[in-house]
Amino acid sequence: MKSTKVLDAKGLACPMPIVRTKKAMEELNSGDILEVHTTDQGSKSDLTAWAKAGGHELLKDTEEDNILKFWVKKG
Amino acid sequence: MAKTISTKELAQKIINHTKIIILDVRNTDEFDNWKIEGGQVEVINEPYFNLLDSVDPVANKLSKDQEIIVVCAKGGSSEMVADLLEEEGYITVYSLEGGMKAWSEHLEPIKIGDLKEGGSLYQFVRLGKGCLSYFVQSNGEAAIIDTARMTDVYEEFANEKEVRIKHLLDTHLHADHISGGRKLAEKVGGTYYLPPKDAEEVTFDFTPLQEGNDIIVGNTEVKVQPIYSPGHTIGSTSFIIDDTYLLTGDILFVRSIGRPDLAGLAEDWVGDLRETLYSRYKELSNNLIVLPAHYSFAEELGEGGEVSARLGDLYARNEGLQVEGEQEFRKMVTENLPPQPNDYQDIRRTNMGKIDPDQEKQKEMETGPNRCAVEG
């Protein structure tokens, strides 16, 4: 999947992954795709709920070697 | 920087029925699944990510001069939100140290009573999960029933009381939390007891609980008397302590009864459950004080934070004890089963010694409410 921007939030604890994601998203245009990498297990449910609340679309998420990756399309 | 509050301080407030407002900033699914309850707690939920730009979403639910305790999963987001509230002029804001993860582990000892020949009985209330364990001490010795995973709490308590922990008993093989009984027995050189019928698959040595083999705590007459009472599990065993207290495990609670499906099939064990509740327990004295292994509803916490009731009173008002017909009882039980506790199969395997997850994993497995009761 082609992402407009990649945000590395690995090693950050809650709430920082979402804080950084929100900030990065503000710099993108509607329809752009932000790819987020985190290591905080809690970010999965939080990112899903945050995207939903903000009108963004979580296109895909993966987990490999304890690294969570998310692709979020800006709404 | 906002102040923090420890789980111990929060527990004291709940037990003392102090009026408190909790702002839980986890996402709403997690909040709906499991939250802080009890006493005079008022809790509102607003996920932290809705408060990053402004605290307006909670402004009409909070007033600036009241004490507010902000709670999240681990303590990071609550600290941020507490700071944001302070910046907006809220005067007394605390962040719960360690969040729900720490809350799940807190144990609060509450004295239930003195024993006839000296010694006393304490109930350890795990407010975050609704689990209850018991500490019986007499004449320099102690027995613990349904020990939680956080064994250091009991060790410290035993040191304080200057007693030696000798007996560790589990009423049954637990499915909602990891037992600390075996670990603590190994550490202090005590004996770990389990009902043999629940222990057919365990991978370690234990001492079987048998009716007729009373356990004596101290040199005095403090008797721990096992009563075979199947239904929640096939081996479930109750204890009569000092001829006064009936520890019912997960068979009978204050407001409900145990569910029979976590270790097998509800259909198979519902008959045993009925037999225990409607025949075996009925033969016991109505004056026994029932002390269960769990509670499910905040209202079950008594004046001093304890969970207990007279057996005779439960026969009069516990809804699970009012269903006379067998078919009707079967229907009530099997149709009112809540979702299973988080990770219950792995928790059972851990308690059997079949798997040995690391500490972090064990904490995670235990998140959420106990869900050991039939609801309805």
Side-chain angles (χ1 to χ4, degrees):
Chain A
M1 195 174 302
K2 195 165 159 34
S3 36
T4 318
K5 191 182 172 170
V6 180
L7 172 70
D8 180 5
K10 292 197 293 292
L12 297 176
C14 186
M16 290 324 286
I18 300 282
V19 172
R20 295 275 175 89
T21 301
K22 183 176 178 295
K23 215 169 154 221
M25 205 62 146
E26 281 162 7
E27 290 159 11
L28 297 181
N29 298 314
S30 181
D32 286 351
I33 295 170
L34 178 66
E35 183 178 332
V36 187
H37 299 180
T38 75
T39 46
D40 181 36
Q41 284 295 325
S43 58
K44 185 169 179 172
S45 53
D46 285 3
L47 216 121
T48 307
W50 168 79
K52 204 175 158 203
H56 310 300
E57 191 185 349
L58 180 59
L59 300 172
K60 184 182 154 189
D61 66 272
T62 62
E63 183 176 353
E64 214 174 303
D65 300 329
N66 290 323
I67 298 173
L68 302 156
K69 294 184 181 176
F70 305 89
W71 286 264
V72 195
K73 187 174 166 187
K74 182 160 174 165
Chain B
M1 283 289 282
K3 297 173 280 290
T4 57
I5 184 171
S6 67
T7 52
K8 172 92 193 158
E9 291 167 287
L10 177 58
Q12 287 297 329
K13 284 178 191 282
I14 292 178
I15 281 166
N16 295 332
H17 291 249
T18 310
K19 229 177 145 161
I20 46 173
I21 306 279
I22 291 178
L23 171 61
D24 189 323
V25 297
R26 292 174 301 154
N27 72 58
T28 304
D29 285 350
E30 286 165 20
F31 172 80
D32 286 344
N33 179 42
W34 176 46
K35 57 179 175 284
I36 296 176
E37 292 173 287
Q40 295 265 335
V41 171
E42 188 193 321
V43 53
I44 54 178
N45 172 235
E46 190 62 55
Y48 66 93
F49 45 78
N50 292 342
L51 302 169
L52 295 175
D53 290 329
S54 119
V55 297
D56 285 353
V58 291
N60 60 350
K61 296 177 202 156
L62 301 170
S63 78
K64 291 195 171 171
D65 51 6
Q66 74 192 151
E67 187 178 292
I68 302 160
I69 299 171
V70 189
V71 173
C72 69
K74 294 177 193 166
S77 304
S78 58
E79 206 176 297
M80 178 189 71
V81 172
D83 285 344
L84 292 172
L85 286 169
E86 274 199 343
E87 281 165 25
E88 287 302 311
Y90 291 82
I91 299 160
T92 323
V93 189
Y94 297 95
S95 162
L96 178 67
E97 228 176 300
M100 290 300 280
K101 200 171 172 184
W103 182 241
S104 169
E105 293 201 320
H106 182 75
L107 298 177
E108 189 65 28
I110 290 165
K111 188 170 177 180
I112 295 294
D114 289 319
L115 303 175
K116 288 176 216 152
E117 304 289 327
S120 46
L121 173 62
Y122 290 83
Q123 182 178 57
F124 278 61
V125 183
R126 189 172 177 183
L127 287 157
K129 206 171 164 59
C131 298
L132 305 166
S133 52
Y134 296 90
F135 190 103
V136 187
Q137 61 99 12
S138 176
N139 205 15
E141 291 185 4
I144 308 176
I145 295 104
D146 290 331
T147 315
R149 175 173 52 80
M150 294 69 73
T151 52
D152 50 338
V153 182
Y154 306 98
E155 274 189 277
E156 278 165 33
F157 193 78
N159 287 340
E160 235 172 72
K161 302 273 169 216
E162 298 180 341
V163 295
R164 208 183 126 221
I165 300 167
K166 281 196 74 174
H167 310 280
L168 294 119
L169 298 73
D170 277 346
T171 50
H172 61 286
L173 192 92
H174 295 284
D176 68 296
H177 67 271
I178 294 163
S179 170
R182 178 165 56 111
K183 189 175 111 187
L184 190 52
E186 279 168 15
K187 186 155 180 211
V188 300
T191 309
Y192 181 45
Y193 303 81
L194 264 180
K197 285 190 177 172
D198 274 7
E200 281 168 5
E201 292 180 59
V202 308
T203 61
F204 45 82
D205 291 331
F206 64 95
T207 303
L209 287 166
Q210 306 278 12
E211 247 187 57
N213 291 355
D214 295 350
I215 294 154
I216 306 294
V217 184
N219 310 330
T220 54
E221 281 299 297
V222 179
K223 243 183 351 193
V224 179
Q225 200 183 334
I227 310 282
Y228 179 52
S229 50
H232 174 65
T233 60
I234 189 67
S236 287
T237 300
S238 308
F239 300 107
I240 295 178
I241 295 181
D242 207 28
D243 297 319
T244 307
Y245 301 100
L246 174 63
L247 273 59
T248 52
D250 283 8
I251 290 294
L252 176 61
F253 304 121
V254 168
R255 280 263 308 258
S256 55
I257 58 173
R259 64 190 292 174
D261 62 317
L262 292 178
L265 294 167
E267 304 286 332
D268 295 346
W269 291 351
V270 69
D272 288 326
L273 181 65
R274 186 168 177 275
E275 168 75 17
T276 294
L277 292 172
Y278 287 77
S279 304
R280 295 225 81 181
Y281 278 0
K282 266 218 165 121
E283 291 160 16
L284 305 173
S285 161
N286 264 338
N287 287 322
L288 286 169
I289 304 295
V290 170
L291 297 167
H294 288 114
Y295 68 97
S296 309
F297 307 95
E299 307 82 66
E300 289 175 87
L301 287 172
E303 280 295 303
E306 81 291 347
V307 180
S308 71
R310 203 179 142 267
L311 183 59
D313 293 344
L314 292 187
Y315 273 113
R317 65 178 160 89
N318 183 314
E319 282 177 31
L321 298 178
Q322 316 300 324
V323 188
E324 279 304 321
E326 190 181 341
Q327 280 315 311
E328 211 187 322
F329 181 79
R330 193 169 279 273
K331 190 167 176 309
M332 186 267 292
V333 168
T334 51
E335 288 179 4
N336 288 293
L337 296 171
Q340 281 104 355
N342 189 45
D343 269 342
Y344 77 105
Q345 281 162 324
D346 277 346
I347 289 176
R348 283 174 39 80
R349 277 195 281 271
T350 307
N351 286 334
M352 288 177 194
K354 287 182 171 177
I355 55 170
D356 186 21
D358 63 41
Q359 279 301 311
E360 271 314 295
K361 180 69 190 154
Q362 293 196 9
K363 287 184 191 187
E364 236 172 71
M365 286 159 70
E366 285 192 339
T367 52
N370 67 73
R371 297 221 166 102
C372 288
V374 171
E375 284 176 359

